[in-house]
Amino acid sequence: MSVKHDIAPMKQHSAEALDVPRVRSDFPILAERVNGHALVYLDNAATSQKPVSVIDATSRYYRTQNANIHRGVHHLSEEATKAYEVARSKIRGWINASLTQELIFVRGTTEAINLVAATLGASLRPGDEIVISALEHHSNIVPWQLLCEQRQARLRVVPMNDRGELLLDDYEHLLQGGKVRIVALSHVSNALGTINPVKEMTALAHRAGADVLIDGAQAVPHMSVDVQDLDADFYAFSGHKMYGPTGVGILYGKKKILESLPPYQSGGDMIKSVTFEKTIFNDLPFRFEAGTPNIAGGIGLGAAVDYLAALDMDAVRDHEHALVARATEALEAVPGVRIIGTALQKAGVVSFVVENIHPHDIGTILDSDGVAIRTGHHCAQPTMLRFGIPATARASFALYNTFEEIDVLVRSVRHAIEVLG
Ligand code: 7TS
């Protein structure tokens, strides 16, 4: 095997510890009570909570800046355009893209992947291959499946082992066929928490002549991401999972590739000029941003980046790593509990099943104790199938979660077993 799997070891020298109580005070919803209990919010992989600064930035836009962007000469339109484009620059810096033209505002990860499938995918020929992995979210499976049907291309899947780690020998073997045009992989699995060695996998794909899309939805909230270092051609993520608003996300794409792609959606803002005979398309990134965007969302995402940039992302990663380790150890000690996804490199997620109890029932008892988790297939049904289960209970962590909250989670799981077992 030519690739080492252990790509993200815990740093030995500890980053400056995260000031969790201070962080918690920035998130008003954490003071809510649910069913008579203090809220313990452990459904962060579905969506994270929002700090005051993000809430204020979106509300300030509507109170003082609201206008459409990229068109008006009046004061408010200029203010709104400036705020939106400043947000784009902040996000550029945060993921270390070299140009703001390489950042396309989209609705979220799902739209980002659909955009790439619809544009890059348009050049596929019959017999070409697309490689994804066995632990993808449905949004990184279905668009490729549809594309394969349209272009008579073939979908290939990198398998995983019983810990939920991708089998890199099999991946290399798939690439050797010489037909792979696109590789689309999650950076971090939402159902298992596995961190995939995407930098190494990208390099291998490039050597085989394929373009690479990384689904970073579950990575950007948990670790610093440098798109130039990863060298992926596309990197997609959602604002709402990284403390920003819903309905906004980013598709990063290398300028050279974006310039070569046909338009995605068409209409206003993505054009330079239109006559009934011919339309000249706009420059990047606007040529992929048809119509009035989620302006408040973009500005809010800029505020979320400010929030994270003021923290040490290594400290965030270390804190969450400790939470995952503690939750894993404590849950494993509960008779009847089995952890699903035991990769050596994990971020943010602990999925588990309890003998003879359906995950939905666990979730309902936990909710009565004020603990919010997600239960189900997590939009990753092939992952569930691989483990021979229909669903898991999933606790997913954010920078504001505490060890005390894990104690509450584990007590509540024991409570559920007492009631249901
Ligand atoms: N990719 C991954 C890895 C995800 O976890 C999700 C959402 C998506 C893509 C889609 O993101 P969206 O913002 O476009 O919806 N994952 C989850 C989850 O784990 N629970 O709810 C949504």
Side-chain angles (χ1 to χ4, degrees), residues 43 45-47 107-113 135-140 186-191 215-219 237-241 248 374 378-379 394:
D43 194 18
T47 199
R107 269 196 306 128
T109 310
T110 303
E111 186 178 36
I113 297 170
L135 42 66
E136 300 305 321
H137 186 276
H138 294 165
S139 63
N140 201 29
S186 53
H187 196 161
V188 174
S189 149
N190 72 313
D215 168 355
Q218 299 293 346
F237 56 97
S238 301
H240 69 99
K241 294 183 198 289
V248 70
R374 184 170 171 191
H378 316 294
C379 301
R394 179 189 70 181

Side-chain angles (χ1 to χ4, degrees), residues 130-157:
I130 299 171
V131 169
I132 60 172
S133 89
L135 42 66
E136 300 305 321
H137 186 276
H138 294 165
S139 63
N140 201 29
I141 302 173
V142 186
W144 305 116
Q145 229 164 25
L146 288 173
L147 178 63
C148 284
E149 275 173 28
Q150 286 158 11
R151 315 293 309 175
Q152 285 107 52
R154 184 170 176 207
L155 192 64
R156 313 296 305 267
V157 182

Side-chain angles (χ1 to χ4, degrees), residues 4-205:
K4 269 183 74 207
H5 196 97
D6 51 335
I7 44 118
M10 274 279 282
K11 278 207 325 201
Q12 289 312 303
H13 67 280
S14 179
E16 182 97 0
L18 189 68
D19 185 349
V20 179
R22 211 214 71 209
V23 163
R24 287 183 72 79
S25 70
D26 294 330
F27 290 79
I29 208 169
L30 298 180
E32 289 292 307
R33 296 185 70 79
V34 171
N35 295 322
H37 300 272
L39 167 66
V40 174
Y41 187 77
L42 300 177
D43 194 18
N44 296 285
T47 199
S48 64
Q49 301 301 346
K50 322 302 172 200
V52 165
S53 58
V54 169
I55 299 166
D56 284 353
T58 50
S59 123
R60 192 181 321 118
Y61 163 72
Y62 283 123
R63 283 173 182 277
T64 68
Q65 298 169 308
N66 179 52
N68 212 327
I69 56 171
H70 302 146
R71 53 198 86 195
V73 289
H74 62 79
H75 172 78
L76 283 183
S77 180
E78 281 177 9
E79 283 286 300
T81 303
K82 200 166 93 193
Y84 193 68
E85 292 305 325
V86 164
R88 194 193 307 266
S89 310
K90 287 174 182 172
I91 302 160
R92 182 207 62 75
W94 195 61
I95 60 169
N96 194 33
S98 50
L99 303 163
T100 49
Q101 293 158 292
E102 297 180 317
L103 278 95
I104 299 161
F105 276 116
V106 288
R107 269 196 306 128
T109 310
T110 303
E111 186 178 36
I113 297 170
N114 276 278
L115 191 163
V116 176
T119 55
L120 184 68
S123 65
L124 288 197
R125 292 165 191 281
D128 283 347
E129 294 181 352
I130 299 171
V131 169
I132 60 172
S133 89
L135 42 66
E136 300 305 321
H137 186 276
H138 294 165
S139 63
N140 201 29
I141 302 173
V142 186
W144 305 116
Q145 229 164 25
L146 288 173
L147 178 63
C148 284
E149 275 173 28
Q150 286 158 11
R151 315 293 309 175
Q152 285 107 52
R154 184 170 176 207
L155 192 64
R156 313 296 305 267
V157 182
V158 185
M160 63 178 148
N161 65 20
D162 291 341
R163 289 203 298 261
E165 295 163 331
L166 297 183
L167 298 176
L168 298 172
D169 287 339
D170 292 70
Y171 174 59
E172 288 190 64
H173 188 72
L174 285 177
L175 291 173
Q176 274 158 17
K179 293 184 179 163
V180 180
R181 294 278 315 280
I182 301 172
V183 171
L185 301 165
S186 53
H187 196 161
V188 174
S189 149
N190 72 313
L192 307 177
T194 309
I195 304 173
N196 293 319
V198 288
K199 183 176 173 181
E200 290 79 353
M201 293 177 85
T202 297
L204 288 168

